[in-house]
Amino acid sequence: MDSSPPRADEEASSLSCPAPRSSPDADPHASPDADPQATPDADPQATPDAAHQATPDADPEVDIRRGGAGAPQRPCTTRPRLDWRVRFGLLALVWGLSFLFVKISGEVYAPLQVSWGRVAFGAAALLAVLAARRQPLPRAGSLWAHLAVAGLFLNAVPFTLFAYSEERISSALAGICNATTPLFTLLVAVSALPGERPHRNQLAGMALGFAGVLVVFGIWNGADGGDPAGVGMALGAAASMGAGWVYVRRFLTGHGHSALSLAAAQLTAGAAELALVTPFLTTAPTTFPAAPTLSLLILGALGTGAAFLMQYGLVRDAGVTLASMVTYLVPVISTLAGVAVLHEPLNWHQPVGAVVILAGAALSQRTGRTAVPRGPDSRLGTRSNGTRRNGSPEERCTR
């Protein structure tokens, strides 16, 4: 098992294809195998068109043009409105700017309030999409318990730590620390999952990535890369997300729910967790300035809710490998935004360390092996005969 987040093709495989369209003149209640000439109540004064369809010698080309049985079945896919390259850039932009919005929101709102607003607005966005698609939320109590744990590690804790860290360090440096998430994911996976054995590329990638963290710190100058507590909280947020992804891979796959349904439920659980503690640890704001409030709305609805949908859409349309490369652009955009918009200072070794971290993350994901189906308990839901758990390839499709 690799250490990347759950693949979105699980969601795609759980969506059923619409039924093939029949001929426009066909009776929608008729059996597909019914013989129109054998119907006892057939009208002897049938129209020429109906007689033509009932004649065994009807022109097959006409039948094909009308979408009848002789027509080739079209692939059950929908062309996306935007090219995947455009959506790739938009996702990198939204995620990279998230650290800027956290910084601006934190000028007025407490870190816990920023975290709660982000998760709550993100949950509201996903719940609206879920309702529009008429997909249900999970109902099993045990599944909601796992979703609550995932919401804690992937949303409540890391978003709060990032908000606290940006009170002490720049948004650019927080974005750079976020790039260590794949390394922490791999570290937790090889430590906590039975049977997970790291290969040489993974070990070398982790070593290189954490060496990049030391470069970001400027360890040779006595760690002048930023406030140690702030950097520590940002790295703690990345570690929390790494542990959360491993938990999701272990307990939240193969339940038969779409990724959208699980994500909406997870954010809802995270928002509920933050709502339990935020009123007791913060003072309710008395004013709502435009810029910080708008930043918080964008951070939640776009940086958390819409970004999730774009990520899974990219995995579906461009593949897992290309979609995962968006991680490499996030620290670049967060750094550019922090320097250009907020005029944050930037030491030379911080972007250099970011490059080393990303190189380590890329190296750790190069397995050099070909994936082999692992039978009925495979994470991707593949049976030993090569078909999906949710049905045969002919019965399922991607919307």
Side-chain angles (χ1 to χ4, degrees):
M1 179 185 298
D2 61 24
S3 59
S4 60
R7 289 182 168 84
D9 50 2
E10 296 178 10
E11 176 189 15
S13 67
S14 66
L15 299 173
S16 59
C17 296
R21 299 181 62 183
S22 60
S23 170
D25 299 325
D27 182 4
H29 302 289
S31 171
D33 299 324
D35 182 0
Q37 294 183 355
T39 304
D41 299 327
D43 185 1
Q45 303 295 329
T47 62
D49 289 341
H52 177 75
Q53 291 180 8
T55 304
D57 297 330
D59 187 356
E61 295 183 359
V62 175
D63 188 53
I64 291 175
R65 288 196 300 269
R66 292 181 175 179
Q73 296 296 323
R74 296 180 180 179
C76 187
T77 56
T78 301
R79 181 182 296 275
R81 295 181 180 180
L82 290 177
D83 184 81
W84 71 266
R85 298 169 186 83
V86 177
R87 287 176 286 143
F88 182 93
L90 287 175
L91 180 59
L93 182 65
V94 168
W95 272 346
L97 292 177
S98 293
F99 298 94
L100 172 66
F101 293 136
V102 169
K103 193 76 169 181
I104 297 175
S105 301
E107 295 175 355
V108 173
Y109 302 108
L112 273 172
Q113 293 170 346
V114 172
S115 178
W116 179 81
R118 177 178 187 176
V119 178
F121 290 133
L126 289 186
L127 288 172
V129 176
L130 195 70
R133 296 185 180 181
R134 297 183 179 180
Q135 294 185 21
L137 285 170
R139 295 183 179 179
S142 59
L143 182 55
W144 273 99
H146 288 307
L147 287 167
V149 176
L152 183 68
F153 282 105
L154 286 174
N155 304 119
V157 170
F159 292 170
T160 301
L161 287 176
F162 273 128
Y164 273 110
S165 72
E166 291 196 40
E167 290 186 329
R168 297 170 174 266
I169 63 175
S170 66
S171 62
L173 184 54
I176 292 174
C177 292
N178 179 70
T180 62
T181 299
L183 301 175
F184 282 114
T185 304
L186 176 60
L187 181 62
V188 174
V190 299
S191 303
L193 295 181
E196 184 75 15
R197 297 179 180 178
H199 50 77
R200 288 178 296 179
N201 283 350
Q202 290 177 322
L203 293 174
M206 281 193 291
L208 182 61
F210 288 113
V213 173
L214 299 179
V215 175
V216 170
F217 275 145
I219 195 68
W220 56 89
N221 289 330
D224 67 346
D227 183 271
V231 174
M233 285 186 285
L235 292 175
S240 178
M241 288 191 290
W245 282 124
V246 174
Y247 188 89
V248 167
R249 293 283 292 273
R250 177 66 177 85
F251 295 105
L252 287 175
T253 55
H255 286 282
H257 293 277
S258 69
L260 172 61
S261 175
L262 293 176
Q266 174 187 309
L267 287 178
T268 301
E273 292 164 351
L274 288 168
L276 292 176
V277 299
T278 300
F280 300 101
L281 300 178
T282 63
T283 302
T286 56
T287 60
F288 301 89
T293 303
L294 182 60
S295 295
L296 188 55
L297 285 170
I298 296 174
L299 179 64
L302 293 182
T304 306
F308 175 87
L309 296 180
M310 284 191 286
Q311 180 197 20
Y312 277 82
L314 276 176
V315 174
R316 178 192 63 201
D317 299 330
V320 176
T321 302
L322 284 173
S324 65
M325 291 178 66
V326 73
T327 306
Y328 306 142
L329 295 180
V330 170
V332 177
I333 294 174
S334 68
T335 300
L336 293 176
V339 173
V341 178
L342 300 178
H343 307 290
E344 295 176 337
L346 185 69
N347 296 320
W348 67 267
H349 53 81
Q350 291 175 345
V352 171
V355 172
V356 177
I357 292 172
L358 294 175
L363 178 61
S364 68
Q365 296 181 29
R366 296 187 58 177
T367 62
R369 296 177 296 184
T370 303
V372 178
R374 290 174 288 180
D377 294 329
S378 172
R379 171 174 56 86
L380 297 180
T382 305
R383 296 191 183 93
S384 58
N385 61 1
T387 62
R388 309 284 294 191
R389 288 178 183 171
N390 293 323
S392 65
E394 292 80 8
E395 296 172 343
R396 304 289 170 181
C397 70
T398 302
R399 288 189 190 274

